[in-house]
């Protein structure tokens, strides 16, 4: 009877502990990052009244006779299943989708948590708002590069952070130089009116120069309509006879438009001559010097042969540089002779800029096809000074700063820890966990790598407590407690009856 009473007492204890765990789970139903716990039972030692006997020739064996001494708690397991994500819209709120923990550091040591409701303090440190412990990660260098192989540190992003001006060292070009563009010069005869008065003549690109259309402009000559004939010498020395009537001339498939001052009397033009050099294609871009000043660098491209183009810096006056680009028949670059520009400045450091025209032998960068000209300077790596305006956080934990000069730069990256046995972590309160002898050592690295989950910004992970399950477990724990209490009551009544035998 005393054994049954003590068994009942042990049952009361463990069911009370189970109820404690259920109560704690329900109390934390809305706690950010909370993980529910479950109490597991197992039997205690049993008292052996009679041991087991071995079977013999004339009789069989017998089983042991044992009486159990009650139940005990075997473990309290933490359920690290994913909790639901709740959107907050706060850029510093983060949830982990998958495995892993955020790392926090304070004077009390290093802790780990799934609660990612962080904020920035007055000094720009990313912290846990409840106790000020600092989120750990890696801070980028001045170029925005992050080395995750070094030790962890505090995430420090001052809101008034300034990036210094950076001088341009590279300009990247892209687009097409038309293989159909004219090169060299074309000769025209002298334009003379019937009275042998010389008339000035010039030839220039029209607005649609890419398609091979040009204008022959006749200056200081009053004539509504006129006729003329002459010769054009092409860049290869070929002679082409031409004749003009009704304002249109066709030379080797290239259309010319003749323009004259209207209002005069019709006169015949006996011959024409002149010289024409095609207008180069220009590609301007703003570059930045060491003081943050901008300068427009203009590079001009001129056809120098069937597959060759010359380039030259035409602006600003303090800049110098020229070279040649040779193309293959497939439109890719065959060779580049010269690709640097020098700027001699007075109020800033002199500049040496590399011009990136593309990779030799590959289609990309600048090409040469029969289509029109689209060549342009598409980017440069300099910037003026700027002040941090806002930040964004990526799923890999990288914190990117947006500055008022239009620049975006990586500032830091949040670290994440992965444990072999997260259930072995010590729950030390405040939604924090600490490393234990059975948790394994933390494997630290960026999120979304090495089995670590990704960071979802603007959300928090809610408690994974299943309220329906907790209520069901509560009923089971209550009934178990009641049943064990009946054991004690019944054992007490039996002892009372035993005590009354002496009467």
């Amino acid at each position: 009877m005393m054994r049954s009473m003590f068994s009942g007492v042990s049952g009361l204890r463990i069911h009370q502990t189970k109820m404690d765990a259920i109560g704690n789970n329900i109390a934390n139903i809305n706690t950010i990052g909370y993980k529910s716990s479950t109490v597991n039972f197992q039997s205690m030692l049993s008292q052996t009244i009679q041991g087991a006997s071995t079977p013999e020739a004339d009789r069989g064996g017998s089983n042991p006779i044992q009486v159990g001494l009650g139940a005990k708690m075997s473990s309290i397991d933490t359920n690290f299943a994913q909790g639901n994500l709740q959107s907050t819209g706060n850029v510093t709120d983060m949830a982990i989708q998958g495995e892993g923990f955020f790392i926090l550091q304070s004077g009390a040591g290093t802790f780990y948590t799934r609660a990612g409701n962080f904020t920035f303090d007055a000094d720009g440190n990313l912290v846990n708002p409840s106790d000020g412990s600092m989120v750990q990660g890696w801070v980028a260098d001045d170029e925005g590069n992050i080395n995750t192989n070094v030790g962890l540190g505090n995430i420090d992003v001052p809101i008034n952070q300034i990036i210094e001006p950076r001088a341009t060292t590279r300009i990247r070009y892209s687009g097409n130089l038309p293989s159909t563009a004219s090169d060299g010069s074309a000769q025209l005869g002298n334009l003379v009116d019937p009275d042998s008065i010389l008339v000035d003549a010039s030839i220039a690109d029209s607005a649609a120069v890419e398609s091979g259309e040009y204008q022959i402009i006749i200056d200081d000559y009053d004539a509504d309509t006129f006729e003329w004939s002459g010769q054009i010498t092409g860049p290869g020395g070929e002679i082409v006879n031409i004749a003009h009537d009704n304002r249109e001339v066709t030379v080797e498939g290239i259309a010319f438009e003749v323009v004259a001052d209207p209002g005069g009397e019709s006169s015949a033009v006996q011959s024409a001559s002149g010289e024409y050099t095609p207008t180069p294609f220009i590609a301007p871009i703003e570059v930045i010097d060491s003081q943050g000043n901008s300068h427009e660098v203009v590079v001009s491209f001129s056809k120098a042969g069937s597959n060759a183009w010359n380039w030259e810096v035409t602006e600003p006056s303090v800049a110098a540089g020229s070279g040649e680009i040779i193309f293959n028949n497939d439109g890719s670059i065959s060779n580049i002779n010269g690709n640097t520009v020098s700027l001699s400045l007075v109020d800033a450091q002199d500049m040496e800029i590399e011009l990136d025209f593309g990779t030799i032998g590959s289609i990309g960068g600048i090409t040469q096809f029969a289509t029109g000209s689209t060549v342009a300077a598409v980017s440069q790596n300099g910037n003026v000074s700027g002040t941090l305006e806002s930040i964004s956080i990526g799923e890999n934990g990288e914190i990117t700063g947006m500055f008022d000069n239009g620049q975006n730069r990586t500032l830091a990256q949040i670290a994440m820890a992965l444990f072999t046995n997260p259930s072995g972590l010590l729950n030390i309160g405040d939604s924090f966990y600490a490393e234990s002898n059975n948790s394994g050592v933390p494997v630290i690295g960026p999120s979304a790598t090495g089995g670590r989950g990704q960071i979802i910004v603007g959300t928090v992970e809610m408690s994974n407590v299943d309220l329906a399950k907790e209520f069901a477990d509560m009923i089971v724990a209550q009934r178990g407690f009641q049943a064990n209490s009946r054991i004690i009551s019944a054992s007490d009544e039996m002892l009372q009856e035993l005590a009354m035998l002496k009467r």
Side-chain angles (χ1 to χ4, degrees):
M1 287 181 289
M2 295 300 294
R3 283 195 301 259
S4 63
M5 183 173 291
F6 288 127
S7 294
V9 171
S10 69
L12 291 178
R13 288 175 177 172
I14 59 176
H15 281 86
Q16 179 60 57
T17 302
K18 183 177 181 69
M19 186 64 75
D20 292 340
I22 294 170
N24 186 58
N25 289 341
I26 295 175
N28 286 280
I29 186 68
N30 290 316
T31 300
I32 295 173
Y34 176 79
K35 300 301 178 183
S36 62
S37 58
T38 302
V39 179
N40 298 311
F41 300 160
Q42 69 180 20
S43 61
M44 296 179 66
L45 292 174
S46 296
Q47 180 180 356
T48 301
I49 299 174
Q50 178 179 309
S53 63
T54 305
E56 297 179 1
D58 56 349
R59 66 178 182 181
S62 62
N63 296 326
I65 300 174
Q66 294 179 299
V67 177
L69 299 179
K72 66 178 181 178
M73 181 176 58
S74 63
S75 65
I76 300 179
D77 297 335
T78 303
N79 176 18
F80 279 95
Q82 180 76 50
N84 294 327
L85 304 186
Q86 178 176 327
S87 176
T88 65
N90 187 355
V91 69
T92 57
D93 283 346
M94 288 165 268
I96 299 174
Q97 180 74 54
E99 302 294 326
F101 297 84
F102 296 112
I103 306 171
L104 300 173
Q105 180 71 42
S106 70
T110 302
F111 309 115
Y112 308 91
T113 185
R114 296 278 298 191
N117 54 322
F118 302 131
T119 187
F120 286 105
D121 65 10
D123 293 333
N125 296 304
L126 188 62
V127 299
N128 181 288
S130 64
D131 69 340
S133 54
M134 298 184 180
V135 180
Q136 298 296 287
W138 304 275
V139 177
D141 60 19
D142 293 338
E143 299 297 320
N145 300 314
I146 292 179
N147 183 5
T148 58
N149 295 320
V150 300
L152 299 179
N154 301 333
I155 301 293
D156 180 17
V157 183
I159 195 60
N160 59 348
Q161 182 173 347
I162 295 176
I163 56 174
E164 298 178 353
R166 179 172 58 183
T168 301
T169 60
R170 186 181 185 188
I171 302 174
R172 188 169 68 87
Y173 290 83
S174 183
N176 187 65
L177 291 169
S179 61
T180 56
S182 300
D183 57 315
S185 62
Q187 303 287 330
L188 292 178
N190 289 323
L191 290 177
V192 184
D193 71 3
D195 298 324
S196 298
I197 299 174
L198 181 64
V199 177
D200 295 332
S202 61
I203 184 169
D205 298 348
S206 72
V209 63
E210 294 86 350
S211 62
E213 296 181 0
Y214 302 90
Q215 290 180 327
I216 298 176
I217 302 173
I218 302 175
D219 301 322
D220 301 326
Y221 186 69
D222 289 336
D224 253 339
T225 61
F226 57 90
E227 297 178 1
W228 64 276
S229 63
Q231 294 179 335
I232 289 181
T233 303
E238 65 274 12
I239 304 298
V240 181
N241 292 318
I242 61 173
H244 169 70
D245 190 13
N246 295 329
R247 307 174 65 83
E248 185 173 342
V249 179
T250 300
V251 182
E252 293 184 328
I254 300 177
F256 293 83
E257 181 183 3
V258 177
V259 180
D261 292 335
E265 294 183 357
S266 182
S267 300
V269 179
Q270 296 175 346
S271 63
S273 68
E275 184 173 303
Y276 166 66
T277 301
T279 300
F281 305 112
I282 63 171
I285 192 172
E286 295 285 338
V287 300
I288 309 300
D289 64 26
S290 59
Q291 293 295 318
N293 303 310
S294 63
H295 308 269
E296 185 180 52
V297 170
V298 180
V299 172
S300 299
F301 298 88
S302 301
K303 191 83 175 290
S306 60
N307 281 336
W309 288 78
N310 292 328
W311 69 266
E312 182 181 9
V313 180
T314 56
E315 292 289 342
S317 60
V318 296
S322 62
E324 181 184 41
I325 306 174
I326 302 174
F327 291 91
N328 297 308
N329 290 331
D330 64 358
S332 64
I333 296 176
S334 172
N335 194 27
I336 299 174
N337 299 316
N339 69 332
T340 58
V341 172
S342 300
L343 275 73
S344 300
L345 306 175
V346 176
D347 298 327
Q349 295 178 353
D350 291 346
M351 302 174 64
E352 190 83 8
I353 303 176
E354 174 192 354
L355 306 185
D356 181 5
F357 297 123
T359 303
I360 293 176
S362 299
I363 299 297
I366 293 181
T367 58
Q368 182 188 250
F369 298 118
T371 57
S373 172
T374 58
V375 66
V378 294
S379 66
Q380 57 86 30
N381 62 353
N383 63 262
V384 299
S385 63
T387 302
L388 182 64
E389 286 190 320
S390 60
I391 66 165
S392 65
I393 302 176
E395 65 180 26
N396 63 348
E398 283 191 0
I399 302 176
T400 302
M402 280 71 77
F403 294 80
D404 59 9
N405 62 353
Q407 295 288 315
N408 295 338
R409 181 173 294 181
T410 301
L411 305 177
Q413 186 170 15
I414 298 170
M416 190 177 294
L418 195 66
F419 289 89
T420 305
N421 177 28
S423 295
L425 292 170
L426 293 173
N427 189 335
I428 59 175
D430 294 330
S431 298
F432 293 166
Y433 296 92
E435 181 182 347
S436 76
N437 294 332
N438 197 41
S439 63
V441 297
V443 181
I444 298 173
S447 61
T449 64
R452 286 171 284 269
Q454 68 182 32
I455 292 177
I456 309 299
V457 179
T459 64
V460 291
E461 182 184 6
M462 297 305 295
S463 166
N464 67 351
V465 172
D466 184 343
L467 197 57
K469 177 181 180 299
E470 297 302 324
F471 282 152
D473 288 346
M474 184 187 301
I475 295 173
V476 172
Q478 180 183 9
R479 295 307 182 196
F481 189 90
Q482 289 176 339
N484 280 275
S485 66
R486 295 297 183 270
I487 294 174
I488 298 175
S489 299
S491 298
D492 177 58
E493 291 179 0
M494 293 174 66
L495 287 173
Q496 186 176 2
E497 288 295 329
L498 181 62
M500 292 178 64
L501 290 178
K502 66 179 181 178
R503 297 180 181 176

